[in-house]
């Protein structure tokens, strides 16, 4: 397990639907090594979103083992999970999830401000990361003043700023046109070449093909690794 950033063994997750129990994940086991670019591919309702939420410590499994960067997630309380989400994982969402009232710079600085970093240092880092994703001339723009592709770049910068162990991307091209989506996927390939571990959730095989490895999730189970 030494070089695994993610280790899962027999992960199960169910939800109550009235009197019925819906089993969404049925004994998922997987390992993702540091520096990998992995796509989790599956149709709607396959369980991939639930798996993503467990990987991202947004939700916890009913049973099974999950070790993230050497930490046993099952043993963590809510406050500890919140800390892990902020420190270990950089989230990239389909709909960007940016704070509309704030500039790109403030959106990117936000995770560091949550950690207690002083405002000047956090904003200095934010400007640098925005330059690295090609938005050095857009730091004072608010989300609605940016194109979809630019908003996703801000989202990527926000995910990168805390130097997380994992970039977790949920349908990152879902709200973008084909050309812009391709640019974002090429950015992921470059980020992976720089050593970033990326886990990307998608229903689209063509998107998944940009990853180094594809994990197929169907009906709550992994078909192959």
């Amino acid at each position: 397990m030494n070089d695994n950033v993610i280790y899962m063994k027999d992960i199960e997750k169910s939800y109550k639907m009235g009197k019925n129990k819906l089993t969404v994940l049925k004994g998922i086991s997987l390992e993702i090594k540091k520096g990998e670019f992995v796509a989790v591919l599956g149709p709607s309702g396959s369980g991939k979103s639930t798996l993503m939420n467990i990987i991202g410590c947004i939700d916890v499994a009913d049973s099974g083992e999950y070790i993230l960067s050497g930490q046993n997630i099952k043993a963590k309380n809510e406050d500890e999970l919140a800390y892990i989400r902020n420190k270990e994982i950089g989230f990239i969402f389909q709909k960007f999830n940016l704070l509309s009232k704030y500039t790109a710079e403030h959106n990117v600085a936000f995770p560091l401000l949550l950690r207690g970093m002083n405002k000047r240092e956090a904003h200095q880092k934010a400007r640098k990361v925005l330059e690295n994703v090609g938005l050095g001339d857009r730091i004072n723009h608010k989300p609605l003043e940016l194109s979809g592709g630019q908003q996703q770049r801000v989202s990527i910068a926000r995910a990168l700023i805390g130097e997380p162990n994992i970039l977790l991307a949920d349908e990152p091209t879902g709200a973008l046109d084909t050309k812009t989506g391709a640019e974002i996927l090429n950015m992921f390939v470059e980020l992976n070449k720089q050593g970033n571990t990326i886990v990307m959730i998608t229903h689209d095989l063509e998107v998944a093909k940009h990853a180094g490895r594809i994990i197929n999730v169907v009906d709550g189970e992994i078909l192959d690794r």
Side-chain angles (χ1 to χ4, degrees):
M1 284 198 297
N2 293 345
D3 57 348
N4 287 330
V5 70
I6 289 172
Y7 174 86
M8 287 184 162
K9 179 79 172 164
D10 299 329
I11 293 289
E12 300 208 351
K13 184 69 182 178
S14 300
Y15 297 99
K16 279 190 175 174
M17 308 284 284
K19 292 181 180 178
N20 299 320
K21 182 172 130 178
L22 177 67
T23 302
V24 182
L25 298 180
K26 306 166 185 173
I28 295 274
S29 295
L30 68 91
E31 298 176 23
I32 296 175
K33 291 180 168 52
K34 191 166 179 59
E36 275 200 282
F37 181 5
V38 174
V40 177
L41 175 68
S44 181
S46 62
K48 68 182 187 301
S49 294
T50 301
L51 178 59
M52 181 200 74
N53 287 341
I54 291 172
I55 289 172
C57 301
I58 296 166
D59 203 350
V60 289
D62 296 334
S63 62
E65 187 180 13
Y66 178 26
I67 308 293
L68 171 64
S69 300
Q71 301 175 81
N72 184 352
I73 297 305
K74 203 165 181 76
K76 305 296 181 186
N77 62 34
E78 251 323 303
D79 288 344
E80 289 169 328
L81 288 174
Y83 177 78
I84 287 166
R85 284 195 297 271
N86 180 275
K87 185 174 183 295
E88 298 287 344
I89 301 158
F91 292 94
I92 300 159
F93 300 98
Q94 177 177 347
K95 293 184 178 173
F96 322 131
N97 288 25
L98 299 173
L99 300 166
S100 60
K101 292 180 181 177
Y102 295 106
T103 63
E105 183 182 312
H106 189 84
N107 268 280
V108 174
F110 197 66
L112 297 184
L113 297 171
L114 283 177
R115 289 186 195 180
M117 183 180 282
N118 75 66
K119 192 174 177 183
R120 185 180 169 193
E121 193 179 344
H123 278 260
Q124 201 171 8
K125 274 196 89 168
R127 285 194 292 274
K128 189 174 180 184
V129 180
L130 281 164
E131 283 171 15
N132 289 345
V133 298
L135 289 179
D137 58 343
R138 294 285 189 274
I139 60 172
N140 294 317
H141 287 59
K142 292 179 180 176
L144 292 177
E145 298 167 342
L146 300 169
S147 69
Q150 288 169 337
Q151 288 185 64
Q152 192 59 295
R153 284 171 186 259
V154 174
S155 174
I156 290 167
R158 180 184 58 190
L160 287 168
I161 197 167
E163 298 174 13
N165 275 321
I166 301 167
L167 293 176
L168 184 56
D170 180 20
E171 301 279 5
T173 62
L176 304 174
D177 62 63
T178 306
K179 180 176 177 290
T180 309
E183 289 170 4
I184 294 298
L185 289 169
N186 289 335
M187 181 179 281
F188 281 152
V189 171
E190 285 305 311
L191 288 169
N192 179 239
K193 284 178 184 172
Q194 292 164 23
N196 290 284
T197 306
I198 302 172
V199 180
M200 178 173 67
I201 314 297
T202 182
H203 69 279
D204 188 333
L205 177 58
E206 291 307 310
V207 169
K209 283 177 180 176
H210 287 78
R213 179 160 65 107
I214 298 174
I215 293 170
N216 289 287
V217 179
V218 178
D219 295 331
E221 297 179 295
I222 290 177
L223 288 191
D224 50 53
R225 289 178 186 80

